Coordinates of all heavy atoms in Angstrom, one line a residue:
W66 N 11.1 -7.9 34.0 CA 12.3 -7.7 33.2 C 11.8 -7.1 31.9 O 10.9 -7.8 31.2 CB 13.1 -9.0 33.0 CG 13.9 -9.4 34.2 CD1 13.4 -10.2 35.2 CD2 15.2 -9.0 34.5 NE1 14.4 -10.3 36.2 CE2 15.5 -9.6 35.8 CE3 16.2 -8.2 33.9 CZ2 16.8 -9.4 36.4 CZ3 17.4 -8.0 34.5 CH2 17.7 -8.6 35.7
L86 N 18.1 -3.6 28.7 CA 17.3 -4.6 29.5 C 17.5 -4.2 30.9 O 18.7 -4.0 31.4 CB 17.8 -6.0 29.2 CG 17.2 -7.1 30.1 CD1 15.7 -7.3 29.8 CD2 17.9 -8.4 29.9
W87 N 16.4 -4.2 31.7 CA 16.6 -4.0 33.1 C 15.5 -4.8 33.9 O 14.5 -5.3 33.3 CB 16.6 -2.5 33.5 CG 15.3 -1.8 33.3 CD1 14.1 -2.2 32.7 CD2 15.0 -0.4 33.8 NE1 13.2 -1.2 32.8 CE2 13.7 -0.1 33.4 CE3 15.8 0.5 34.4 CZ2 13.1 1.1 33.7 CZ3 15.2 1.7 34.7 CH2 13.9 2.0 34.3
Q88 N 15.8 -4.9 35.2 CA 14.8 -5.4 36.1 C 14.1 -4.2 36.7 O 14.8 -3.2 37.1 CB 15.5 -6.2 37.2 CG 14.8 -6.4 38.5 CD 15.0 -5.3 39.5 OE1 16.1 -4.8 39.6 NE2 13.9 -4.9 40.1
E89 N 12.8 -4.2 36.7 CA 12.1 -3.0 37.1 C 11.0 -3.4 38.1 O 10.1 -4.2 37.8 CB 11.4 -2.4 35.8 CG 10.8 -1.1 36.0 CD 10.2 -0.6 34.6 OE1 10.4 -1.4 33.6 OE2 9.6 0.4 34.6
Y111 N 20.2 -3.7 46.5 CA 21.2 -3.4 45.4 C 22.6 -3.2 45.9 O 23.5 -3.7 45.3 CB 20.7 -2.2 44.6 CG 19.4 -2.3 43.8 CD1 18.6 -1.3 43.6 CD2 19.0 -3.6 43.4 CE1 17.4 -1.4 42.8 CE2 17.8 -3.8 42.7 CZ 17.0 -2.7 42.4 OH 15.9 -2.8 41.7
I143 N 22.9 3.9 44.3 CA 24.2 3.4 44.6 C 25.2 3.9 43.6 O 25.0 3.7 42.4 CB 24.2 1.8 44.7 CG1 23.6 1.2 43.4 CG2 23.5 1.3 45.9 CD1 23.8 -0.3 43.4
A155 N 24.7 2.9 39.5 CA 24.6 1.5 39.3 C 23.2 0.9 39.6 O 22.9 -0.2 39.2 CB 25.6 0.7 40.1
G156 N 22.4 1.7 40.3 CA 21.1 1.2 40.6 C 20.3 2.3 41.4 O 21.0 3.1 42.1
T157 N 19.0 2.4 41.3 CA 18.2 3.4 42.0 C 17.0 2.8 42.5 O 16.4 1.9 42.0 CB 17.9 4.6 41.0 OG1 17.3 4.1 39.8 CG2 19.1 5.4 40.7
W188 N 11.9 0.8 41.4 CA 13.3 0.6 41.5 C 13.8 -0.3 40.4 O 13.1 -1.1 39.9 CB 13.6 0.0 42.9 CG 12.5 -0.8 43.5 CD1 11.5 -0.3 44.4 CD2 12.2 -2.2 43.4 NE1 10.6 -1.3 44.7 CE2 11.0 -2.4 44.1 CE3 12.8 -3.2 42.7 CZ2 10.4 -3.7 44.2 CZ3 12.2 -4.5 42.7 CH2 11.1 -4.7 43.5
G189 N 15.1 -0.2 40.1 CA 15.7 -1.0 39.1 C 17.2 -1.0 38.9 O 17.8 0.0 39.3
V190 N 17.7 -2.1 38.4 CA 19.1 -2.1 37.9 C 19.0 -2.7 36.5 O 18.1 -3.4 36.1 CB 20.0 -3.0 38.8 CG1 20.2 -2.4 40.1 CG2 19.5 -4.4 38.9
S191 N 20.0 -2.3 35.7 CA 20.0 -2.7 34.3 C 21.3 -3.3 33.8 O 22.2 -3.6 34.6 CB 19.8 -1.4 33.4 OG 20.9 -0.6 33.4
T192 N 21.4 -3.5 32.5 CA 22.7 -4.1 31.9 C 23.8 -3.1 32.2 O 25.0 -3.4 31.9 CB 22.5 -4.3 30.4 OG1 21.8 -3.2 29.8 CG2 21.8 -5.6 30.2
R193 N 23.5 -1.9 32.6 CA 24.6 -0.9 33.1 C 25.5 -1.6 34.1 O 26.7 -1.3 34.2 CB 23.9 0.3 33.6 CG 24.9 1.3 34.3 CD 24.2 2.6 34.6 NE 24.1 3.4 33.5 CZ 24.2 4.8 33.6 NH1 24.4 5.3 34.7 NH2 24.2 5.5 32.5
M194 N 24.9 -2.5 34.9 CA 25.7 -3.1 36.0 C 26.8 -4.0 35.4 O 27.9 -4.1 35.9 CB 24.8 -4.0 36.8 CG 25.4 -4.8 37.9 SD 26.0 -3.8 39.3 CE 24.5 -3.5 40.2

Side-chain angles (χ1 to χ4, degrees):
W66 285 89
L86 172 68
W87 70 352
Q88 161 274 319
E89 187 179 1
Y111 292 153
I143 53 172
T157 50
W188 25 269
V190 294
S191 74
T192 43
R193 169 174 279 215
M194 180 70 77

